[in-house]
Amino acid sequence: MHFKDNAIKLIAEIGGNHEGDFAYAVELIELAAEANVEAVKFQIYSGETLVNKDIDPGRKQHFDKFSFTDDQYLELAEKCISLDVDFNASIWNIRQIDLFDDYLSFYKIGSGDLTAFPIIEYLALKGKPMIISTGLSVIEEINETIDFICKVNPIYKDTNMICIMHCTSSYPTPDNEINLNAIRFLQSTFDYPIGFSNHSTNPRILEYAIALGAKIIEFHFTDTREGKDFRDHKVSLTKNDVIALKEKIPFILDALGHQDKKPTNSEIASNHVYSFRRGSFPARNIRKSEVVSLKDFVFLRPAAGISAKDIYSYIGKRANKDLQELSVLSPNDFEAK
């Protein structure tokens, strides 16, 4: 997957939704492939390489429960390849980055690792495109991370090499904290494409993010939200949700149009610029040499002769000839000053 075109890219984040069940992970890959996403994403870690067990042994046990062996992750990567869908993963340690690097067309920096500069440096030296999530962060931290990456490897000054993802790292994200306007803020701050990583329970949020200009859409993915206890299922899309979203994307992009403001092809073809706008017409018979005032005119469709907006140029002038009520006017009908 690359960032060089304007097509919307969809990343199905299976993450920990498999809950340590390998067969379930395979089933979720198959469902995501059937939904025709661009990439399926996992999170590759072990509790030992992610959490300080002396400080937070409970979280270490949680991550160990949700992790697979290297061989199992490799099998999942091969499964994605067999289904012609891009495999990706947030990888939280250098050993596994090297192990899975050949399977990754881009690197994903999760929100929690935005400030993990030693890992980011290791990835930046490899020079693949990066997707960077920005949950938990302020703009100064995002700037600092982007500057650091570009200092490590100037290739990332190329705006096709980084996508910055607006994200709120709450599961689920309260509606009043989704803050989709941050997409526009990031667009105004950076030349890089901006994406959106979702943790809302409302799938329609992704349509709004696309309408605001998000180029890459990342969402958690499951088979069903019903009867699930693990939190990530509640913020996930299903296969049918993704299919419905993909069906709407062409309409959203067509409706967004371009950034110019000018008459559209259909407006021009219908001649509505003429028929919908108003012209200036004599409200009565006007005699030659009469000085005209605004009350001597009526403003009606279509915009024949002198436009309603231009009538002020003729107020206080004399008529060059007799003008019939409702006749089409010309600049030559009035004296020049």
Side-chain angles (χ1 to χ4, degrees), residues 207-225:
E207 299 172 35
Y208 307 148
I210 293 169
L212 286 169
K215 299 301 183 184
I216 294 179
I217 300 293
E218 182 183 49
F219 48 84
H220 288 261
F221 184 81
T222 188
D223 56 341
T224 179
R225 291 181 289 273

Side-chain angles (χ1 to χ4, degrees), residues 60-85:
K60 177 188 180 298
Q61 291 176 359
H62 165 82
F63 285 114
D64 281 338
K65 175 185 174 182
F66 280 56
S67 63
F68 293 132
T69 66
D70 289 345
D71 287 342
Q72 286 176 313
Y73 280 123
L74 289 169
E75 190 172 340
L76 294 176
E78 292 291 346
K79 179 66 175 180
C80 289
I81 293 171
S82 72
L83 296 173
D84 197 27
V85 62

Side-chain angles (χ1 to χ4, degrees), residues 85-202:
V85 62
D86 205 359
F87 169 84
N88 195 260
S90 294
I91 303 180
W92 309 79
N93 64 88
I94 287 173
R95 182 190 70 80
Q96 288 180 308
I97 288 171
D98 287 339
L99 179 62
F100 293 96
D101 194 46
D102 287 345
Y103 290 94
L104 306 178
S105 62
F106 63 93
Y107 299 129
K108 170 63 192 297
I109 308 297
S111 294
D113 274 1
L114 182 78
T115 58
F117 279 16
I119 292 176
I120 291 175
E121 178 183 20
Y122 193 78
L123 293 173
L125 288 170
K126 292 177 176 290
K128 290 183 181 179
M130 285 190 189
I131 296 177
I132 302 172
S133 280
T134 59
L136 313 172
S137 65
V138 295
I139 190 63
E140 290 79 10
E141 291 174 317
I142 302 171
N143 270 313
E144 186 180 13
T145 296
I146 298 296
D147 288 346
F148 176 78
I149 291 170
C150 291
K151 182 178 179 181
V152 170
N153 190 342
I155 194 174
Y156 290 100
K157 294 179 181 179
D158 181 341
T159 56
N160 292 313
M161 291 297 291
I162 291 176
C163 180
I164 301 170
M165 307 287 280
H166 170 52
C167 175
T168 303
S169 297
S170 299
Y171 302 77
T173 302
D175 290 350
N176 64 349
E177 294 184 3
I178 298 169
N179 194 24
L180 287 180
N181 276 329
I183 294 173
R184 287 178 170 169
F185 172 67
L186 292 171
Q187 289 168 337
S188 68
T189 305
F190 298 99
D191 291 330
Y192 297 102
I194 306 301
F196 177 62
S197 183
N198 180 54
H199 298 131
S200 166
T201 57
N202 187 344

Side-chain angles (χ1 to χ4, degrees), residues 36 81 191 238 287 300 333 336:
N36 199 27
I81 293 171
D191 291 330
T238 65
R287 295 191 305 273
L300 303 170
D333 291 338

Side-chain angles (χ1 to χ4, degrees), residues 218-284:
E218 182 183 49
F219 48 84
H220 288 261
F221 184 81
T222 188
D223 56 341
T224 179
R225 291 181 289 273
E226 303 300 323
K228 303 287 188 177
D229 294 325
F230 178 50
R231 66 177 191 184
D232 284 8
H233 291 288
K234 296 176 173 58
V235 300
S236 296
L237 272 64
T238 65
K239 170 186 168 180
N240 287 340
D241 292 329
V242 177
I243 291 172
L245 175 63
K246 288 184 73 70
E247 289 175 348
K248 293 174 183 176
I249 287 175
F251 167 76
I252 294 171
L253 296 181
D254 282 346
L256 284 174
H258 49 72
Q259 294 188 9
D260 294 334
K261 181 55 187 164
K262 59 184 180 182
T264 65
N265 291 335
S266 61
E267 287 175 327
I268 294 169
S270 64
N271 205 26
H272 285 169
V273 173
Y274 172 77
S275 63
F276 278 18
R277 289 184 169 175
R278 299 182 187 230
S280 305
F281 305 96
R284 60 177 179 84

